[in-house]
Each structure stands twice: as structure tokens, then as C-alpha cells.
């Protein structure tokens, strides 16, 4: 069995506690960090996620400004709401919950968010800064993975990292963060030839594909660190992209689903929001 089952819940609680300390220092200086979450439509999973974010904000000491819009909201209305949050000095971070209904233009809406209020790291300016190795908000899930590695004293420098999945939300920013941490990074996707063989080269294997249990022991080098970003609903269960029971016996460290990467995403959002509030204070 893996020496380490990485406890994302515990690490996320520590990240929230650290963010809470910083939020308290801001409040003591008269600034209450504020996070605006914009949700369009009635997708139950997104709704539940936003409710959990509100709870996290309460715990950390961040004021929530949540807007739930009907699924027939127009682009103009959505962008008007984003503009209002951009202008509001009490709001330090803006998050547009994705996905938004298909009639809306996601790219345009994300680009409308002021880059300094982009706590999701999805704005083109944030991504561009990250590519250039400049300070920027990092996308919450990949940054959560980096935090898990740090919490386990795993230094990616010099290691072979393989990221399976090239999404703009996870795979691409994950690869960039691992490069910044001096890993040698390969990004795989649906057209990769001999995916199991490439994955077996990984010292750190990150699965972000969205296919339940696809990564089994034939994809994993013994002793590898396996990070499962997948959250797939199978019946009434949540399962990852990694076949945990088959991979855990040969990995040196592995994240479970649930309780691995999942809790980190919201915790990093809290940290990013506090950081945006600190930056707003500094730029005054
Ligand atoms: N939908 C699923 N994950 C995320 C996320 O990290 N940020 C946003 N904005 N929407 C999401």
C-alpha cells in the first residue's frame, strides 16, 4: 500500500486557517476581504458548490457577495453585473461559476473581470502572467495540487511529471505550475500514442481526464506519486480518474477521491481572495 494517502481535507483546513489569519489582519486594518460569486442557471452541482463556498467564506472571514441569475440571463446583464463588481471596492475577488449556459460567451465574460479581481486565474492576463513566470492568481485546482505536493514535502524539481488532460481549467495550468517548480513535464491527451507507456515514465502522475477509474496499475511506475483530479459521479458515488484500489498498492503517495484534490480547490480560492484583498490594500 502507498506510504502516504494524501489527506486533502487536512491540508485544505490548514490553508483555510492560514487564510483566516491573514483575513483577520486585514479586518484589523479596516479591510474586510470580499468575494463575489456569479452563478448563472440552476445546475444543482454548481449550486451546491457555491453554497459550500459561502460556508468557507464564513469560516475564513470573507464577505460573500453572491448573485444567482436565471438560465436565460443575457450576456449584457451578466457583463453588467461583472462590471458592477469590478467597480465595487468591497469586492476583491470575482468568480464566475463555470460552466455557464451555452447561449452565453464564456470567454467574453471571463475577460470582463478585472484582472486584479480574477481569483480563479482564468483571465487571459492571469494566464499570460503565469506563462511569463510573473506573480498572478493561479487556477485553484492546479494550485491546490501544488499545495498538496508542498504539504507532503514533495519537490517536483528534476522529477518527470506527466499530466493527463489538457483542459484550460486544469491540465494546461497544471503543466505550467509544474514547469515553474522545475519538473520535466509531459502533457498527454486523447491523441497521445501509448498513453500507459508515457504515464509509466512519471515520478508524478496527475490525472485530469474526467474518465472514472481509467488510470489503473498498468499506467503507473512503482513508487510514483499519483494525483487524481477527477471527480466523476457514478451512480450515487464520486470516483476519480484513478482506479484507487489497484494503484494505491504500487504508488508511494496517492490522493483519494473524495478527500484528495477536491477540498483544495475551494481552500485555494479563499487564499487567492485574501491575497487579492492584500494586493488591493498595497496598491492604494
Ligand atoms: N467549475 C468547476 N470548477 C470551477 C472552478 O474552479 N472555478 C469556476 N469558476 N468554475 C468552476
Amino acid at each position: 500500500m502507498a506510504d502516504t494517502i494524501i489527506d486533502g481535507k487536512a491540508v485544505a483546513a490548514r490553508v483555510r486557517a492560514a487564510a483566516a489569519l491573514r483575513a483577520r489582519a486585514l479586518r484589523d486594518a479596516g479591510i474586510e476581504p470580499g468575494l463575489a460569486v456569479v452563478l448563472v442557471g440552476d445546475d444543482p452541482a454548481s449550486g451546491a458548490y457555491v453554497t459550500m463556498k459561502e460556508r468557507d467564506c464564513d469560516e475564513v472571514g470573507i464577505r460573500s457577495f453572491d448573485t444567482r441569475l436565471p438560465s436565460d440571463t443575457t450576456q449584457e446583464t451578466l457583463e453588467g453585473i461583472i462590471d458592477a463588481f469590478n467597480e465595487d471596492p468591497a469586492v476583491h475577488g470575482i468568480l464566475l461559476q463555470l460552466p455557464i449556459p451555452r447561449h452565453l460567451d464564456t470567454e467574453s465574460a471571463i475577460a470582463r473581470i478585472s484582472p486584479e479581481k480574477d481569483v480563479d486565474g482564468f483571465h487571459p492576463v492571469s494566464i499570460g502572467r503565469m506563462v511569463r513566470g510573473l506573480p498572478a492568481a493561479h487556477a485553484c485546482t492546479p494550485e491546490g495540487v501544488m499545495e498538496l505536493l508542498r504539504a507532503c514535502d514533495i519537490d517536483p524539481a528534476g522529477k518527470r511529471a506527466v499530466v493527463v488532460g489538457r483542459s484550460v481549467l486544469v491540465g494546461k495550468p497544471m503543466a505550467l505550475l509544474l514547469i515553474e517548480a522545475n519538473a520535466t513535464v509531459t502533457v498527454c491527451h486523447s491523441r497521445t500514442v501509448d498513453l500507459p507507456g508515457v504515464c509509466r515514465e512519471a515520478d508524478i502522475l496527475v490525472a485530469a481526464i474526467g474518465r472514472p477509474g481509467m488510470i489503473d496499475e498498468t499506467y503507473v511506475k512503482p513508487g510514483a506519486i499519483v494525483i487524481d483530479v477527477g471527480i466523476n459521479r457514478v451512480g450515487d458515488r464520486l470516483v476519480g480518474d484513478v482506479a484507487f484500489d489497484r494503484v494505491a498498492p504500487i504508488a508511494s503517495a496517492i490522493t483519494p477521491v473524495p478527500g484528495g484534490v477536491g477540498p483544495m480547490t475551494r481552500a485555494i480560492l479563499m487564499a487567492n481572495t485574501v491575497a487579492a484583498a492584500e494586493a488591493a490594500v498595497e496598491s492604494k
Side-chain angles (χ1 to χ4, degrees):
M1 201 57 165
D3 295 333
T4 309
I5 309 293
I6 300 174
D7 184 348
K9 271 194 196 166
V11 180
R14 290 205 291 276
V15 169
R16 285 196 304 277
L21 278 179
R22 288 161 61 192
R24 166 175 288 207
L26 282 166
R27 281 201 310 282
D28 288 348
I31 310 289
E32 183 176 33
L35 172 65
V37 173
V38 181
L39 173 64
V40 189
D42 43 23
D43 174 52
S46 290
Y49 197 61
V50 170
T51 303
M52 289 192 287
K53 277 176 196 155
E54 287 166 357
R55 210 177 302 150
D56 291 340
C57 282
D58 280 348
E59 179 186 329
V60 172
I62 294 171
R63 187 170 165 201
S64 295
F65 296 79
D66 288 351
T67 306
R68 295 178 187 236
L69 302 170
S71 35
D72 61 355
T73 298
T74 64
Q75 189 78 21
E76 204 183 353
T77 302
L78 173 61
E79 295 192 3
I81 284 164
I82 291 171
D83 287 346
F85 284 137
N86 283 337
E87 297 292 316
D88 186 344
V91 171
H92 303 99
I94 302 171
L95 177 139
L96 174 62
Q97 183 66 32
L98 300 177
I100 55 178
R102 287 174 56 164
H103 69 279
L104 294 169
D105 181 342
T106 302
E107 294 303 327
S108 168
I110 288 174
R112 194 81 174 203
I113 297 170
S114 291
E116 60 275 16
K117 296 193 179 187
D118 170 34
V119 283
D120 240 347
F122 293 167
H123 192 284
V125 168
S126 304
I127 293 171
R129 290 182 65 87
M130 189 168 59
V131 171
R132 299 194 65 98
L134 297 170
H138 292 162
C140 300
T141 300
E143 181 61 26
V145 171
M146 298 307 289
E147 188 64 36
L148 286 178
L149 296 177
R150 284 190 289 271
C152 299
D153 283 329
I154 295 164
D155 181 0
K159 294 196 168 60
R160 291 290 305 261
V162 173
V163 179
V164 191
R166 57 177 159 182
S167 73
V168 79
L169 298 194
V170 180
K172 286 181 188 171
M174 186 76 254
L176 285 168
L177 293 179
L178 286 163
I179 291 168
E180 276 303 303
N182 300 309
T184 301
V185 182
T186 302
V187 180
C188 299
H189 44 75
S190 54
R191 304 286 284 271
T192 297
V193 174
D194 185 21
L195 181 62
V198 179
C199 289
R200 280 196 305 273
E201 290 175 11
D203 303 308
I204 300 174
L205 179 62
V206 181
I209 323 148
R211 289 209 189 181
M214 188 180 115
I215 303 294
D216 65 18
E217 72 280 15
T218 66
Y219 289 67
V220 178
K221 175 169 75 176
I225 296 148
V226 180
I227 306 288
D228 189 353
V229 182
I231 301 181
N232 309 286
R233 193 165 286 279
V234 175
D236 57 359
R237 283 193 322 136
L238 285 185
V239 298
D241 292 343
V242 175
F244 184 89
D245 292 343
R246 294 168 65 170
V247 172
I250 62 167
S252 63
I254 185 167
T255 60
V257 176
V261 175
M264 294 302 296
T265 301
R266 281 165 26 225
I268 298 293
L269 175 67
M270 299 298 112
N272 282 355
T273 302
V274 173
E278 289 168 344
V281 173
E282 278 159 24
S283 70
K284 266 196 189 152

